[in-house]
């Protein structure tokens, strides 16, 4: 909404608070207003004030969010959507056409897989799974001349696999494809995929960006002007945009993202250490553990290891379900990235849509979104749930 060039070399926390908006010249308001308007008065036919004519095309509250998202990812262009899947759908239609091919993670978020498998496939866009951990496997899954996108989550959902963004970008670019990185789990604070060679960043801003489980939203960030033009055109043409109040909530969340991610990471590290020594647990999956296969890569490309922890239990699916029902501090629910701790059973909940496919997740798996409560209370809650379900 104004010149923010003085923030180009500012720290992350400073950009999160100051990018995208300067105090209102009329009132001095330091926070962007919620522009609850659908249309804008024009100064003569076609005489637009700052380019605003209709709020699907642009809204000042959304512009503030989009500029902030771009600044936090080190990109030139940000786009805010009504949900993460609205962002993904717009991206697919902006960059792919019938006959194109996409390489997906073999443990992708269930909603992303469903979008490709049930919606994009019907439109003529094909997809193949490959493990993000295996650069050679991703390379082998690429069909030269057909593969338009290599799609990566890192860490993945829910198995927290780590992909080497720099290496995957090189493989994609060698084949004339673009690298898309879903940065939802790491957040803009912990990981900067554009700087590592990615072409497009995807976020469900519902999660860590919003951070308070009170808004659903999505985002795309790119640096390339030609890509931006295509995405912007499709955002307006398809219309799955973030409304002004939703944009305002995500903006408010982003201001404390750095603080929250530090606490999420602190608490998740303690949870992972606790679970690692618990007799009922057969495996703990957390990139911060030295025995995680992606630990070295995560250490190189992430600031810290994040707030998501998955674990498997010796008692199988029955015990996994019982643990999900027994916790009190950890709320049983889908989604993640909020201030409160959540627990879920991916096989029956978030990833039920991939049952019976290559993306099926283990039945004894429990996924935690470790919140920012008092760490001792989290550990006591998990200990009680594990002990009573053995």
């Amino acid at each position: 909404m104004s010149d923010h060039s003085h923030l180009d070399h500012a720290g992350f926390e400073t950009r999160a608070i100051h990018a995208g908006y300067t105090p209102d010249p009329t009132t001095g308001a330091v926070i962007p207003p919620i522009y609850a308007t659908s249309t804008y008065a024009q100064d003569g036919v076609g005489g637009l004030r700052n380019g605003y004519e209709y709020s699907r095309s642009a809204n000042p509250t959304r512009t503030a969010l989009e500029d902030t998202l771009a600044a936090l990812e080190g990109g030139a262009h940000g786009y805010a959507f009504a949900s993460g899947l609205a962002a993904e759908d717009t991206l697919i239609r902006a960059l792919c056409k019938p006959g194109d091919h996409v390489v997906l993670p073999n443990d992708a978020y269930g909603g992303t897989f469903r979008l490709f498998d049930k919606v994009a496939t019907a439109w003529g866009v094909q997809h193949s799974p490959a493990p993000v951990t295996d650069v050679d496997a991703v390379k082998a899954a690429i069909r030269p001349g057909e593969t338009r996108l290599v799609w990566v989550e890192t860490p993945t959902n829910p198995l927290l696999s780590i992909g080497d963004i720099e290496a995957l970008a090189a493989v994609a670019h060698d084949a004339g494809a673009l690298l898309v990185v879903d940065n939802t789990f790491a957040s803009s604070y912990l990981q900067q995929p554009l700087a590592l060679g990615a072409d497009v960043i995807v976020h469900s801003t519902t999660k860590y960006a919003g951070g308070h489980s009170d808004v659903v939203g999505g985002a795309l960030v790119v640096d390339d002007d030609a890509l931006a033009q295509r995405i912007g055109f499709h955002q307006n043409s398809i219309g799955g945009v973030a409304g002004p109040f939703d944009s305002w909530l995500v903006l408010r969340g982003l201001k404390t993202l750095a603080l929250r991610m530090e606490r999420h990471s602190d608490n998740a590290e303690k949870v992972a250490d606790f679970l690692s020594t618990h007799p009922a647990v057969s495996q703990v999956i957390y990139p911060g553990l030295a025995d995680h296969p992606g630990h070295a890569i995560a250490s190189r490309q992430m600031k810290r290891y994040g707030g998501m922890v998955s674990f498997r239990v010796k008692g199988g699916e029955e015990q996994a379900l019982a643990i999900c029902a027994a916790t009190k501090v950890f709320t049983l629910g889908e989604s993640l990235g909020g201030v409160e701790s959540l627990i879920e059973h991916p096989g029956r909940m978030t990833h039920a849509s991939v049952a019976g496919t290559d993306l099926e997740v283990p039945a004894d798996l429990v996924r935690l979104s470790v919140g920012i409560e008092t760490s001792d209370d989290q550990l006591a809650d998990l200990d009680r749930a594990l002990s009573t379900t053995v």
Side-chain angles (χ1 to χ4, degrees):
M1 295 174 79
S2 57
D3 179 32
H4 287 90
S5 55
H6 64 289
L7 293 173
D8 286 350
H9 301 293
F12 185 94
E13 292 85 346
T14 305
R15 281 177 282 140
I17 292 165
H18 294 286
Y21 182 76
T22 48
D24 178 9
T26 309
T27 64
V30 297
I31 298 298
I34 300 168
Y35 283 89
T37 185
S38 58
T39 193
Y40 305 81
Q42 298 188 12
D43 301 318
V45 176
L48 310 183
R49 297 183 202 177
N50 295 316
Y52 294 105
E53 58 177 332
Y54 183 60
S55 278
R56 170 173 38 77
S57 304
N59 173 285
T61 316
R62 193 176 93 220
T63 300
L65 171 60
E66 292 177 333
D67 289 351
T68 302
L69 287 163
L72 294 185
E73 285 287 0
H77 310 276
Y79 302 90
F81 296 85
S83 68
L85 283 167
E88 293 186 0
D89 183 50
T90 303
L91 179 64
I92 293 165
R93 289 195 269 180
L95 300 187
C96 297
K97 63 185 186 304
D100 285 348
H101 173 256
V102 177
V103 178
L104 287 178
N106 69 349
D107 60 341
Y109 163 56
T112 300
F113 177 76
R114 181 179 57 214
L115 176 61
F116 277 100
D117 197 51
K118 300 292 189 282
V119 180
T121 301
W123 186 51
V125 174
Q126 300 175 52
H127 60 88
S128 304
V132 300
T133 53
D134 187 339
V135 177
D136 290 334
V138 171
K139 187 174 184 178
I142 292 173
R143 302 175 188 171
E146 289 179 38
T147 301
R148 179 71 178 135
L149 306 175
V150 174
W151 195 287
V152 176
E153 298 172 17
T154 180
T156 61
N157 177 11
L159 296 177
L160 304 175
S161 300
I162 301 295
D164 185 332
I165 296 171
E166 212 166 357
L168 292 165
V171 162
H173 296 158
D174 283 349
L178 299 173
L179 183 69
V180 177
V181 176
D182 183 337
N183 205 25
T184 298
F185 265 35
S187 83
S188 308
Y189 176 67
L190 295 181
Q191 188 166 265
Q192 303 273 291
L194 291 178
L196 296 168
D199 300 287
V200 186
I201 307 298
V202 177
H203 282 282
S204 169
T205 54
T206 309
K207 313 303 192 301
Y208 288 110
H212 292 75
S213 301
D214 55 8
V215 62
V216 172
L220 299 173
V221 179
V222 294
D223 211 24
D224 181 84
D225 292 346
L227 282 182
Q229 200 168 7
R230 291 173 70 170
I231 290 168
F233 174 82
H234 282 77
Q235 180 192 41
N236 183 47
S237 301
I238 294 168
V241 296
F245 186 53
D246 290 352
S247 297
W248 187 87
L249 283 170
V250 176
L251 258 173
R252 185 174 68 159
L254 286 173
K255 290 179 188 299
T256 60
L257 177 63
L259 292 171
R260 288 185 288 105
M261 294 314 296
E262 288 289 347
R263 183 59 174 264
H264 284 301
S265 298
D266 285 346
N267 285 353
E269 286 172 12
K270 291 173 185 169
V271 165
D273 287 343
F274 165 76
L275 292 171
S276 295
T277 61
H278 200 286
V281 175
S282 58
Q283 184 188 6
V284 181
I285 307 168
Y286 184 65
L289 294 175
D291 64 357
H292 186 288
H295 178 68
I297 295 167
S299 301
R300 192 167 70 238
Q301 68 188 19
M302 296 175 73
K303 194 175 292 184
R304 294 191 66 184
Y305 304 103
M308 301 301 297
V309 180
S310 290
F311 66 98
R312 299 177 71 172
V313 290
K314 292 176 181 172
E317 183 175 35
E318 194 177 325
Q319 188 186 9
L321 292 168
I323 290 166
C324 290
T327 55
K328 298 286 190 292
V329 176
F330 283 80
T331 301
L332 178 61
E334 296 197 2
S335 199
L336 58 108
V339 291
E340 69 291 313
S341 291
L342 297 175
I343 189 169
E344 70 124 1
H345 185 266
R348 296 279 190 97
M349 293 169 65
T350 49
H351 289 66
S353 63
V354 295
T357 73
D358 291 343
L359 283 76
E360 186 168 2
V361 296
D364 59 2
L365 186 78
V366 175
R367 190 192 75 178
L368 304 176
S369 175
V370 181
I372 63 171
E373 301 96 342
T374 307
S375 176
D376 288 348
D377 296 332
Q378 295 173 335
L379 300 182
D381 189 45
L382 290 171
D383 192 30
R384 188 173 56 248
L386 284 161
S387 302
T388 57
T389 56
V390 173

